Amino acid sequence: MTKARLLRLSVVLVSIFMILLIIVYWDNVGTAHFYLHTSFSRPHSPGAIAAGEDWETLPDVDEFLAKLLSSSLKQNSSIPRKTEQLLVQGSNKPVVSNLEENVRGYDWSTHKDRNSLDQEKLQVERQRTLREFCANSSFTFPTKERSFDDIPNYELNHLIVDDRHGVIYCYVPKVACTNWKRVMIVLSESLLDQGVPYRNPLDIPREHVHNTSTHLTFNKFWRRYGKFSRHLMKIKLKKYTKFLFVRDPFVRLISAFRSKFELENEDFYQRFAIPMLKLYSNHTNLPTSVSEAFGAGLKVSFSDFIQYLLDPRTEKMAPFNEHWRQVYRLCHPCQIDYDFIGKLETLDEDAAYLLQLLKVDRLLRFPPSYRNRTASSWEDNWFAKIPLAWRQQLYKLYEADFVLFGYPKPENLLKD
């Protein structure tokens, strides 16, 4: 009887072990294929909330998986990697087919005349500001106090994982995310062109960049790893380099409006413009297509857009679209301890510094900025016709993004 029980126990243990091996080793973009190609080695602060526990105090399952990943890492370290080759210089100025990119164009100036920033001190300051306000009990906003385990799976869909280089990027729409997604595709080799991975980010068509099937994101982990998904997320959050880029919240809203409502966009016309025009401009019989609406001079105004954001009915119907959803809701900065915080206002300098830190600056360069990027200096003009009470309500709606990422309160817009 005792022998039979031991035999059954042995079979169960062997089965569990084999399942774990299959999960880790057989996933074609799984963690067994990554190598931690980063110069970040700073210890996480005791107050960091990133993955819940320190590495040394992870639960047994996490510790087992971590050891398994570490062994696979050593095995892969001797394998030659194609991505260590220098970037093959093709055409530096691709044919621009997307409407937005065609309208806005690229800024190909080298910006060599710009003063170099003390990036290391800048990062320390940005991270200190974020951590201080996350730890400040008197500063509150929705979802601040929840743990990483409390974040619903579908809210982790903006965290893109590159297992080859040990990088996690949380993308924020209207903050250079198209080009950062292109960079992640090149690094992860997740997209092929005639059987060959892309080497130049700007060669990647925009429609592929924003196709969700192109990227491995945290919300897909459940399908791959089942009940081990959160354990693996925590391990990656602990071991990988995590970064995001942010932008002045009000300027980001202006950029979103320009992109989605001043240019002909059929999807946003049907989903958002038609309801806004009916609710806030008293239009009834609207054209069925965006081209007809633009031809008839029917466009959403910036005032309509602000009313839509402030209307309590909006999020009762559905959460904010990602293009105007708050960064703290997209990237969970009080639950994830980001190693690098970039800003669009210093994009060129931040991008160059980050690629150097990741030791991939010889593989690629960050694509140029748009020529007529929405600027902070435009705020006064755009908000001039927005009532003061609305501006004040809007600030409260986006206050957490202002404070967490060190953007000054726009006093000139919030007072008469």
Side-chain angles (χ1 to χ4, degrees):
M1 188 68 176
T2 303
K3 289 183 178 180
R5 287 181 178 175
L6 287 173
L7 180 61
R8 285 197 296 269
L9 181 61
S10 300
V11 170
V12 170
L13 291 174
V14 170
S15 300
I16 292 173
F17 183 75
M18 291 304 297
I19 290 171
L20 290 172
L21 283 177
I22 291 171
I23 288 174
V24 175
Y25 282 96
W26 285 20
D27 196 298
N28 61 347
V29 290
T31 49
H33 301 290
F34 88 92
Y35 61 102
L36 195 56
H37 193 167
T38 171
S39 62
F40 282 114
S41 59
R42 64 168 179 79
H44 291 282
S45 62
I49 318 174
E53 309 92 354
D54 288 337
W55 180 252
E56 293 78 7
T57 59
L58 287 173
D60 292 342
V61 175
D62 293 29
E63 186 177 356
F64 172 75
L65 289 173
K67 289 179 180 178
L68 201 59
L69 297 180
S70 298
S71 65
S72 67
L73 175 61
K74 293 176 182 177
Q75 292 174 6
N76 288 339
S77 62
S78 61
I79 300 175
R81 287 179 275 274
K82 293 184 293 181
T83 54
E84 291 302 323
Q85 300 170 359
L86 290 177
L87 172 65
V88 178
Q89 295 296 334
S91 171
N92 283 333
K93 299 183 181 182
V95 176
V96 179
S97 58
N98 176 265
L99 175 61
E100 183 175 359
E101 292 179 344
N102 194 31
V103 169
R104 299 170 71 181
Y106 288 109
D107 179 4
W108 289 95
S109 59
T110 59
H111 306 295
K112 289 182 180 178
D113 57 330
R114 294 183 180 176
N115 295 326
S116 60
L117 300 175
D118 189 339
Q119 285 285 345
E120 187 174 353
K121 290 183 179 178
L122 196 60
Q123 284 302 313
V124 170
E125 178 62 24
R126 289 174 181 175
Q127 293 175 46
R128 183 190 63 79
T129 299
L130 176 59
R131 289 173 186 148
E132 281 185 0
F133 281 105
C134 284
N136 187 342
S137 59
S138 63
F139 177 67
T140 60
F141 56 88
T143 73
K144 179 190 175 185
E145 300 302 328
R146 68 181 177 181
S147 69
F148 178 75
D149 285 329
D150 293 330
I151 302 173
N153 204 50
Y154 65 86
E155 289 187 17
L156 298 172
N157 61 331
H158 280 239
L159 291 153
I160 299 176
V161 181
D162 166 27
D163 284 314
R164 303 187 77 256
H165 296 82
V167 179
I168 295 174
Y169 163 52
C170 184
Y171 72 91
V172 179
K174 309 315 302 174
V175 191
C177 78
T178 298
N179 284 333
W180 276 116
K181 284 181 179 180
R182 284 173 167 144
V183 167
M184 294 295 285
I185 289 171
V186 171
L187 293 180
S188 64
E189 298 188 356
S190 60
L191 191 64
L192 305 179
D193 180 24
Q194 298 181 345
V196 180
Y198 282 97
R199 291 285 177 260
N200 186 344
L202 281 177
D203 288 341
I204 305 172
R206 190 182 179 94
E207 61 269 21
H208 296 330
V209 172
H210 294 297
N211 187 328
T212 56
S213 65
T214 303
H215 306 280
L216 173 62
T217 49
F218 265 7
N219 65 308
K220 297 178 181 179
F221 273 39
W222 177 255
R223 293 199 299 269
R224 290 171 176 267
Y225 306 116
K227 65 180 181 179
F228 298 110
S229 60
R230 288 282 164 153
H231 295 297
L232 286 171
M233 287 180 201
K234 289 181 180 182
I235 290 173
K236 290 174 190 280
L237 287 172
K238 191 72 178 180
K239 302 293 282 185
Y240 285 14
T241 300
K242 306 164 292 296
F243 77 94
L244 80 165
F245 272 73
V246 297
R247 184 181 198 175
D248 180 288
F250 279 5
V251 180
R252 179 172 168 245
L253 289 180
I254 297 170
S255 179
F257 176 80
R258 292 179 66 209
S259 169
K260 302 307 175 186
F261 301 113
E262 287 198 334
L263 299 176
E264 291 189 14
N265 186 312
E266 191 64 45
D267 180 45
F268 276 76
Y269 175 73
Q270 298 294 338
R271 292 168 58 198
F272 302 107
I274 289 179
M276 287 185 204
L277 289 168
K278 289 181 176 178
L279 283 171
Y280 312 119
S281 292
N282 296 320
H283 290 291
T284 51
N285 297 320
L286 291 165
T288 56
S289 71
V290 68
S291 58
E292 291 178 284
F294 274 46
L298 293 172
K299 295 183 180 181
V300 169
S301 69
F302 190 59
S303 177
D304 294 336
F305 179 53
I306 299 302
Q307 286 185 80
Y308 168 80
L309 296 176
L310 298 177
D311 193 332
R313 295 172 294 182
T314 298
E315 289 218 85
K316 289 181 180 179
M317 299 294 293
F320 275 175
N321 178 268
E322 62 178 2
H323 291 86
W324 45 84
R325 194 180 308 164
Q326 298 90 330
V327 177
Y328 77 83
R329 296 171 62 185
L330 296 173
C331 296
H332 320 290
C334 288
Q335 289 77 29
I336 296 174
D337 187 23
Y338 285 94
D339 301 287
F340 189 96
I341 301 169
K343 292 191 174 185
L344 196 74
E345 293 81 2
T346 52
L347 175 63
D348 295 331
E349 296 87 350
D350 289 356
Y353 183 60
L354 176 59
L355 294 180
Q356 289 175 15
L357 289 172
L358 296 174
K359 298 187 184 299
V360 297
D361 53 310
R362 288 172 60 82
L363 304 181
L364 51 81
R365 60 178 180 175
F366 189 76
S369 305
Y370 290 130
R371 277 196 302 266
N372 61 341
R373 191 167 70 198
T374 306
S376 300
S377 58
W378 299 7
E379 277 186 338
D380 288 346
N381 289 336
W382 277 87
F383 283 95
K385 296 182 179 179
I386 304 300
L388 176 62
W390 294 7
R391 284 180 255 156
Q392 293 170 338
Q393 292 176 54
L394 192 68
Y395 175 76
K396 293 302 294 182
L397 194 60
Y398 289 88
E399 182 179 24
D401 285 355
F402 276 99
V403 173
L404 292 174
F405 299 108
Y407 286 101
K409 187 176 182 178
E411 299 286 0
N412 58 314
L413 298 179
L414 304 178
K415 296 180 181 178
D416 280 325

